[in-house]
Amino acid sequence: MSNKENDAQKYLDMDLLRFTTAGSVDDGKSTLIGRLLYDSKSIFDDRMEAIEESSKKKGDEYTNLALLTDGLSAEREQGITIDVAYRYFSTPERKFIIADTPGHVQYTRNMVTGASTANLAVILVDARNGVIEQTCRHAFIASLLQIKHIVLCVNKMDLVDYSEEQFDKIKKEFKTFSSKLDVPEIHYIPISALYGDNVVEESDNMPWYKGSTLLYTLENVQVSGDYDHVDSRFPVQWVTRPQSTEYPDYRGYAGQIAGGVFKPGDEIIALPSGFTSEIKEIHTFENEEEEAFAPMSVTMTLENDIDISRGDMIAKPDNQPTVGQDIDMMVCWLNKEPLNPNGKYAIKHTTQDARCIIKEVKYKVNINTLHRVEGDKEIGLNDIGRIKIRTTKPLFYDSYKRNRRTGSIIIIDEYTHETVGAGMIL
């Protein structure tokens, strides 16, 4: 293998971290990402020259790094983030996918979209304002979406004279609020995205801070244990039958492993049929594997042919998912039209398509206080509430807390085909 091929293979094998940024308007999310990209040498020279030129035209006194992520013309005009912007970069330690999400209340649904696949959330707080309503909202959504790592970046420390007292005050405020949340690991970092303090390089302006920089934290946070490696779940996405002269009788089951570990020789059960078999071989695009685990995409072959099709679930006989049609879940509503009690919707769950009826709206959540609002049953755009649905066929699921893949449901309007809700099974 040549050096070039070797480097390419190393890059492909490198660990990947998906993280989302959140915070209120003007907290500096886009500037922070721009600073990360710039200081980690992830921007081409011609792109940087274009940003410098745009900054001059706008009359900025400095190169506006936020322009690296604000891609929509409306975002550049208003200086705010509207849509979710995905950015990719890497360091020698790790590859990263960033979802830069909006801070405005009316774009909460965009934050839900960006956070749904994230391993970690970077929540920004303006050092002058401290913990505000949007900080609590974003932390609650991160907790609800089972993001297990939060980095609270207290930004704009340059505007409070790099005050340790102000940082400690904000840290204490957030600790009090976050004690009600289900987040195992929270890091606190004082930064200035504009000047790069504690983003990639350690800050000389805050000698009192003894912790890691943001990039070091992102490079070293452990996320491999966040996947469910106990409950073996393999939603079948595709049945492969090449029917070629080389493989005349080949029948493989392809998809992405949602949980647990599978090995050749393991006994499995196919749902809903209940037929059992043993795994014969496990293949990826390039190799035959000795074992496979989440989130690998693989094709399995079995010792004997049993009736399995798209939407079925392969599991272990002694550890099966819940099978049911009456499902309790939390829902983030993403559509301008409010949820219709007793309404009928299409749903997607793993690789299954089905329909459902809303049986009951139990309560709505006040995102700022985390209290249940029992009397108000109307769930509108950006609201979060608890509902019960009845599906047209059984789903094979786990709680969202246990497995984000098998515990999530997308709710779709049958007529417009818009995604209207994101559900997390309880």
Side-chain angles (χ1 to χ4, degrees):
M1 189 183 281
S2 68
N3 286 340
K4 203 174 267 189
E5 287 173 327
N6 198 28
D7 290 345
Q9 192 56 49
K10 272 185 189 172
Y11 180 78
L12 290 171
D13 293 340
M14 202 186 286
D15 191 21
L16 170 68
L17 177 77
R18 295 172 180 268
F19 70 93
T20 182
T21 60
S24 190
V25 182
D26 293 333
D27 278 349
K29 295 180 298 301
S30 299
T31 304
L32 174 64
I33 292 172
R35 173 61 64 186
L36 264 177
L37 296 173
Y38 179 70
D39 284 1
S40 62
K41 310 290 188 288
S42 301
I43 303 164
F44 290 116
D45 289 343
D46 58 342
R47 178 80 174 124
M48 199 61 221
E49 285 167 14
I51 295 299
E52 286 168 358
E53 190 61 36
S54 295
S55 300
K56 281 178 191 170
K57 281 181 184 173
K58 287 183 71 180
D60 293 335
E61 294 175 8
Y62 47 82
T63 301
N64 188 350
L65 295 173
L67 296 174
L68 283 165
T69 55
D70 288 339
L72 301 176
S73 57
E75 293 177 321
R76 291 196 294 270
E77 282 168 19
Q78 299 177 55
I80 63 169
T81 303
I82 294 171
D83 201 1
V84 182
Y86 291 95
R87 292 292 176 268
Y88 309 85
F89 77 104
S90 65
T91 68
E93 304 297 324
R94 211 172 219 169
K95 293 181 293 192
F96 300 94
I97 298 178
I98 315 168
D100 181 21
T101 61
H104 270 279
V105 176
Q106 67 261 39
Y107 301 123
T108 299
R109 57 183 173 168
N110 302 59
M111 194 246 164
V112 172
T113 305
S116 61
T117 56
N119 309 108
L120 177 146
V122 175
I123 298 179
L124 269 79
V125 174
D126 189 320
R128 297 167 299 176
N129 303 329
V131 175
I132 59 171
E133 186 179 304
Q134 275 295 76
T135 315
C136 299
R137 177 184 287 264
H138 289 146
F140 172 63
I141 291 171
S143 167
L144 188 67
L145 291 169
Q146 287 298 302
I147 294 177
K148 299 188 185 298
H149 313 272
I150 285 180
V151 179
L152 188 83
C153 285
V154 181
N155 192 22
K156 306 192 180 182
M157 288 297 292
D158 53 295
L159 298 180
V160 293
D161 298 324
Y162 300 101
S163 164
E164 182 181 7
E165 186 184 343
Q166 181 66 0
F167 173 71
D168 288 341
K169 180 185 166 201
I170 293 169
K171 183 176 174 180
K172 188 178 176 185
E173 280 176 13
F174 191 77
K175 273 188 172 176
T176 303
F177 175 78
S178 64
S179 62
K180 308 173 202 169
L181 303 177
D182 182 21
V183 181
E185 187 178 36
I186 302 177
H187 301 265
Y188 299 87
I189 306 176
I191 66 167
S192 168
L194 186 61
Y195 298 110
D197 294 279
N198 288 333
V199 179
V200 172
E201 305 291 339
E202 288 182 15
S203 170
D204 294 330
N205 296 309
M206 291 176 274
W208 46 264
Y209 174 68
K210 305 300 181 189
S212 304
T213 63
L214 174 60
L215 183 61
Y216 183 88
T217 304
L218 295 174
E219 285 179 331
N220 290 280
V221 68
Q222 295 300 313
V223 295
S224 57
D226 296 350
Y227 291 103
D228 177 6
H229 293 307
V230 176
D231 308 308
S232 298
R233 308 284 184 259
F234 183 62
V236 176
Q237 186 173 350
W238 190 256
V239 180
T240 12
R241 302 217 46 214
Q243 296 179 318
S244 62
T245 49
E246 194 179 352
Y247 301 103
D249 301 315
Y250 185 91
R251 181 191 291 268
Y253 306 101
Q256 185 178 39
I257 295 171
V261 180
F262 291 92
K263 297 177 183 177
D266 283 353
E267 189 182 356
I268 59 94
I269 185 167
L271 300 172
S273 68
F275 293 135
T276 58
S277 183
E278 282 187 5
I279 298 174
K280 186 178 180 182
E281 294 174 337
I282 300 173
H283 296 272
T284 55
F285 180 69
E286 294 175 321
N287 305 309
E288 187 174 332
E289 302 290 338
E290 290 301 311
E291 65 174 18
F293 46 85
M296 289 172 67
S297 295
V298 300
T299 299
M300 291 185 192
T301 59
L302 303 180
E303 290 291 355
N304 52 312
D305 287 339
I306 57 178
D307 183 18
I308 299 177
S309 55
R310 176 183 166 84
D312 291 358
M313 174 86 74
I314 292 175
K316 301 281 181 72
D318 58 350
N319 181 350
Q320 298 181 36
T322 305
V323 180
Q325 290 176 260
D326 290 305
I327 297 168
D328 272 310
M329 64 184 187
M330 300 299 293
V331 67
C332 297
W333 201 248
L334 313 175
N335 200 258
K336 290 175 184 173
E337 291 295 321
L339 178 143
N340 178 16
N342 305 316
K344 294 176 182 175
Y345 295 93
I347 58 170
K348 281 186 179 293
H349 172 257
T350 63
T351 54
Q352 273 212 79
D353 294 311
R355 296 170 66 231
C356 78
I357 186 168
I358 309 293
K359 283 191 75 176
E360 185 185 357
V361 177
K362 297 199 170 181
Y363 58 80
K364 194 157 79 173
V365 177
N366 181 323
I367 296 178
N368 305 315
T369 63
L370 305 188
H371 292 153
R372 299 176 182 182
V373 185
E374 304 279 0
D376 186 0
K377 300 289 179 78
E378 182 172 312
I379 296 180
L381 178 63
N382 295 322
D383 284 339
I384 293 172
R386 180 170 172 175
I387 64 172
K388 186 169 191 170
I389 64 170
R390 169 86 176 177
T391 60
T392 50
K393 59 182 178 182
L395 304 184
F396 321 116
Y397 63 89
D398 301 282
S399 70
Y400 187 82
K401 186 172 183 178
R402 193 165 182 92
N403 189 313
R404 289 172 83 181
R405 286 286 309 284
T406 58
S408 56
I409 291 179
I410 293 172
I411 304 174
I412 300 161
D413 186 293
E414 288 189 287
Y415 303 105
T416 64
H417 303 293
E418 288 181 51
T419 299
V420 294
M424 288 137 285
I425 298 172
L426 296 167

Coordinates of all heavy atoms in Angstrom, one line a residue, residues 327-331 347 356 358 385-389 407 409 411 422-426:
I327 N -48.1 3.2 22.2 CA -46.8 3.7 22.5 C -46.8 5.0 23.1 O -47.5 6.0 22.6 CB -45.9 3.7 21.2 CG1 -45.7 2.3 20.7 CG2 -44.6 4.4 21.5 CD1 -45.1 2.2 19.3
D328 N -46.2 5.2 24.3 CA -46.1 6.5 25.0 C -44.8 7.1 24.6 O -43.7 6.5 24.5 CB -46.0 6.3 26.5 CG -47.4 6.2 27.1 OD1 -48.2 7.1 26.8 OD2 -47.7 5.3 27.9
M329 N -44.8 8.4 24.3 CA -43.6 9.1 23.9 C -43.6 10.6 24.1 O -44.7 11.2 24.2 CB -43.3 8.8 22.4 CG -44.3 9.3 21.4 SD -43.8 8.8 19.7 CE -45.0 9.8 18.8
M330 N -42.5 11.2 24.2 CA -42.3 12.6 24.2 C -42.2 13.0 22.7 O -41.6 12.3 21.9 CB -41.1 13.1 24.9 CG -41.0 12.7 26.4 SD -42.4 13.4 27.4 CE -42.0 15.1 27.4
V331 N -42.8 14.2 22.4 CA -42.8 14.6 21.0 C -42.3 16.1 20.9 O -42.8 16.9 21.8 CB -44.2 14.4 20.3 CG1 -45.2 15.3 20.9 CG2 -44.0 14.7 18.8
I347 N -46.0 7.3 10.0 CA -44.8 7.3 10.9 C -43.7 6.5 10.3 O -43.9 5.6 9.4 CB -45.1 6.8 12.3 CG1 -45.6 5.4 12.2 CG2 -46.0 7.7 13.1 CD1 -45.7 4.7 13.6
C356 N -50.5 5.9 12.2 CA -50.9 5.9 13.6 C -52.0 6.9 13.8 O -52.3 7.8 13.0 CB -49.7 6.3 14.5 SG -49.3 8.0 14.6
I358 N -53.4 9.5 17.0 CA -53.1 10.1 18.3 C -54.2 9.8 19.3 O -55.3 10.3 19.2 CB -52.9 11.7 18.2 CG1 -52.0 12.1 17.1 CG2 -52.4 12.2 19.6 CD1 -50.5 11.7 17.2
G385 N -44.2 17.8 24.3 CA -45.2 17.3 25.2 C -45.2 15.7 25.2 O -44.4 15.1 24.4
R386 N -46.0 15.2 26.0 CA -46.1 13.7 26.1 C -47.4 13.3 25.5 O -48.5 13.8 25.8 CB -46.0 13.2 27.5 CG -46.1 11.7 27.7 CD -45.8 11.2 29.0 NE -46.1 9.8 29.2 CZ -45.8 9.1 30.3 NH1 -45.2 9.7 31.3 NH2 -46.1 7.8 30.3
I387 N -47.3 12.3 24.5 CA -48.5 11.8 23.9 C -48.6 10.3 23.8 O -47.5 9.6 24.1 CB -48.6 12.3 22.4 CG1 -47.5 11.8 21.6 CG2 -48.7 13.8 22.4 CD1 -47.6 12.1 20.1
K388 N -49.7 9.7 23.5 CA -49.8 8.3 23.3 C -50.4 8.0 21.9 O -51.4 8.7 21.5 CB -50.8 7.7 24.4 CG -50.8 6.2 24.4 CD -51.5 5.6 25.6 CE -51.3 4.1 25.7 NZ -51.8 3.6 27.0
I389 N -49.8 7.1 21.2 CA -50.2 6.8 19.8 C -50.6 5.3 19.7 O -50.1 4.5 20.5 CB -49.2 7.2 18.7 CG1 -47.9 6.3 18.9 CG2 -48.9 8.6 18.8 CD1 -47.0 6.4 17.7
G407 N -35.5 3.8 19.6 CA -36.5 4.5 20.4 C -37.0 5.8 19.8 O -37.7 6.6 20.5
I409 N -39.1 8.0 16.7 CA -40.1 7.9 15.7 C -40.3 9.2 15.0 O -40.3 10.3 15.6 CB -41.5 7.5 16.3 CG1 -41.5 6.0 16.8 CG2 -42.7 7.7 15.3 CD1 -42.8 5.6 17.5
I411 N -42.9 11.5 12.8 CA -44.3 11.7 12.5 C -44.4 12.5 11.2 O -43.8 13.6 11.1 CB -45.1 12.3 13.7 CG1 -44.8 11.5 14.9 CG2 -46.5 12.4 13.4 CD1 -45.4 12.1 16.2
A422 N -41.1 14.9 16.0 CA -40.0 13.9 16.3 C -40.3 13.3 17.7 O -40.4 14.0 18.7 CB -38.6 14.7 16.4
G423 N -40.5 12.0 17.7 CA -40.9 11.3 18.9 C -39.8 10.5 19.6 O -39.0 9.9 18.9
M424 N -39.8 10.5 20.9 CA -38.8 9.7 21.7 C -39.6 8.8 22.6 O -40.3 9.3 23.5 CB -37.9 10.7 22.5 CG -36.9 11.4 21.6 SD -36.7 13.1 22.0 CE -38.2 13.9 21.3
I425 N -39.5 7.5 22.4 CA -40.3 6.5 23.1 C -39.9 6.5 24.6 O -38.7 6.4 24.9 CB -40.2 5.2 22.4 CG1 -40.8 5.2 21.0 CG2 -41.0 4.1 23.2 CD1 -40.6 4.0 20.2
L426 N -40.9 6.4 25.5 CA -40.6 6.3 26.9 C -40.5 4.9 27.4 O -41.1 4.0 26.8 CB -41.7 7.1 27.7 CG -41.7 8.6 27.4 CD1 -43.0 9.2 28.0 CD2 -40.5 9.3 28.0

